[in-house]
Structure formats: C-alpha cells, structure tokens
Amino acid sequence: MTTPTGIAPRLEEACSDRPLRVLGIESSCDETGVALVEVASAGPGSAMPLLLAHALHSQIDMHQAYGGVVPELASRDHIRRVVPLLRETLSRAELALEQVDVVAYTQGPGLAGALLVGAGFGCALGLALDRPVMTVHHLEGHLLSPFLSADPPEFPFVALLVSGGHTQLMRVDGVGRYELLGETIDDAAGEAFDKTAKMLGLGYPGGPALARLAEQGRGDAFALPRPLMRSGNLDFSFAGLKTAVWTQLSRLDAAAGGRADEAQRADLAASTQAAIVEVLVTKSLAALKLTGLKRLVVAGGVGANRRLREVLSQQCGRKGIRVHYPELQLCTDNGAMIALAAAMRLQAGLAHPTLDYRFDVRPRWDLSAA
Ligand code: KG4
Ligand code: ZN
C-alpha cells in the first residue's frame, strides 16, 4: 500500500498478514455517522474495501421544530452522539478500538462547527491510539458510495451528485480523477425540494415529504419552468423554479379564498418534482452523450428520490446505459461512505495519513481540488 514515508512502513508492517481497518467519521451536517471498513492490499485487481459495520444518528427530529438545520444545535448533538456510535460500530464489527489502523474524518464541505466535532474527535482518537489520521472530502464519499452496493460500478462513469448543497455532473475516471462537467449556478436540487416543501408547509427535510405528497398528484398538472434545460451546457439553475412554484401556489390559495385544497397541493408537489427530475435526467443524458460513456452513478440525498430513479431507468435503459446507486440507506449522509472513500484513496496510493494531529476544517471545498 502506497502511503507517505514514515507512516507507510508502520501501516505495511501492521497489515502485512491481514487487511487494514479504516474508521470513518462523518459530522458535516445533520447526521453523525461512524463506520469501519477493511481493505486488502493495493494494486490493480485488488479487492474492494469491505464494510464491517456502521452506525448512524440522524438529527432530523431535533431540527424539525425549527424548519431547518440549526448549526449550533447540530454541533452539540454530534458531540453527544459520536462516542456511543463509535461503541456501536465496534461492537457490531466485534472489534476493539485498538484494532483500528487509520482514523478518517470528513474535513469538508459542510457546517464549520459540525465538521470540527468529527475532526477534533478523529484527531483525539488518533493521538490516543497512536494511529495515523486522514481527511476525506464529503462529496467524494457520496460519489464512491455506490461501490458499497450489491451492483457496484466500474470506472469510468458520469456521476450526478445531487445533495442538499450540491448539484454537479462529473466525469470520473478513477479514484481522485474527477472532472467537473457542470453544476448549479444557484440553488441545489435538494434545496429546490426543501424550499418548495417549506412553501407547502411540509416541514423539514423537504425532499422526502415533497416526494410523498407528489405520489398523490399529477406531474403534468402545472407547467413549471425547466431552468437551463436547453442551455447547451451542463449547468443547472433551480432558483427560478422556486419563484414559479410560489407564484402558482399564491394563485391557487387566492382562488380558494384561503388555502388551496389537498389535491391541488399534491398536483403542485408532483409538478415541481417532475420539473426537477426532467432537468436532472436531461442533463445527465447530455453529459453521457458528451463523454461517450455508458455508465451513470447517482449519489447524494436526492438520489433516493423514487421518481428520479424511475425516469432514469426508463430513459437510460433505452440507450443501453447502466445506472448505479448507493444502497437506499447510504444515499443520505453516513459514516460508511467516508470510511470507504478513505480506504479507496489508501488503496490508490492517494491518501495522506499523518501522525500530526493538528487539524482544521474546510467548510467550502471543491472536489476537483481534493
Ligand atoms: O446528501 P444529503 O443527505 O446531504 C447533503 O450532503 O446535503 O442530501 C440531503 C438532501 C436534502 O435536500 C433532502 O431533502 C434531499 O437530499 N432528499 C430527497 C429525498 N431524500 C432526501 N430529495 C428528494 N426525494 C427524496 N426521496
Ligand atoms: Zn451529503
């Protein structure tokens, strides 16, 4: 395994006759995640890392009362959860803390205070155990998460990264080889789901709630804009859609002399979802055409959307394009994807584990610079 001088001999010696165990810690937003993966030796054809165990705590219930994530509360909750989650992970994996070889944590992007909890905890753990620590880019975790699924992709592929903060299309040629093809110039797709859900009084997190309401409505009920769909590039824009939904909802409310009825609200939810899905699918197909690739990976929270999956499989199936997703439970934030990304970086010789436990976080961080 190729690792920086100083650490490489130690890791190699420790793992000469057994796989390396990587602990992953995720705390970038409103989920605390801890996971352990095992990774065999490096080199072409080496086996994929194996997920031994993971544990997750979602703060959704706590933030629901505020209609969105409250950063200060998020950080404090990560502090409360991280030790019990570590214990749970170790117990599920039937391993002792001393059997961890490397500690990896999400360094960014995300909420600064929330990231600091995972970074501080990871480095303290590394120091106490005398084990190297390494940083992981949160989006790289999402991007590589389908490698933990029953149907893992092969490089190269086009990745559609759709989370609460990001909407990006990337060409992925291998671990650490990411070329940005296009991204949102304003709101992310997840944000469009969340903001529309809020207008409809559906609470937080909006994506799953809007998707549920949309199941009862007609996607063609209202003609909502498909921003930048025919722009000729692979960028996205969702801010205008939010305004169009607001205008439509105000009209419906006014016509009803108060609050639009449930059927109309469901139609509006379904029409919003249809607009977002159509733009995401059209741009993904354009990215596949541009690159000539026949494989698509969809990752990030919005990747859990059922309608998006249905339309993608219909349209890609017709064109002979394989679509890969993470397991549903690993679409939203989790520790497994962080441990996996760290392990794949180690395997590819791209990781920089260190015994220097000074740390900092990167709330804003481009994946192409990782
Ligand atoms: O990847 P993620 O868990 O966190 C970030 O890194 O942002 O993504 C969260 C986003 C939220 O905007 C949430 O509303 C959206 O993913 N989401 C969904 C669904 N499940 C989660 N959006 C649409 N349909 C869903 N089923
Ligand atoms: Zn995420």
Side-chain angles (χ1 to χ4, degrees), residues 31 138 142 163-165 190-191 193-194 205-208 211 300-302 304-305 331-333:
E31 262 104 21
H138 179 82
H142 277 303
S163 69
E191 230 172 326
F193 269 102
D194 292 339
V302 182
N305 186 271
C331 272
T332 46
D333 295 348

Side-chain angles (χ1 to χ4, degrees), residues 70-91:
V70 183
E72 175 72 17
L73 294 182
S75 314
R76 284 155 60 183
D77 200 61
H78 287 308
I79 292 170
R80 275 196 295 273
R81 305 290 174 179
V82 70
V83 173
L85 288 171
L86 171 64
R87 291 214 168 104
E88 203 176 320
T89 304
L90 289 167
S91 138

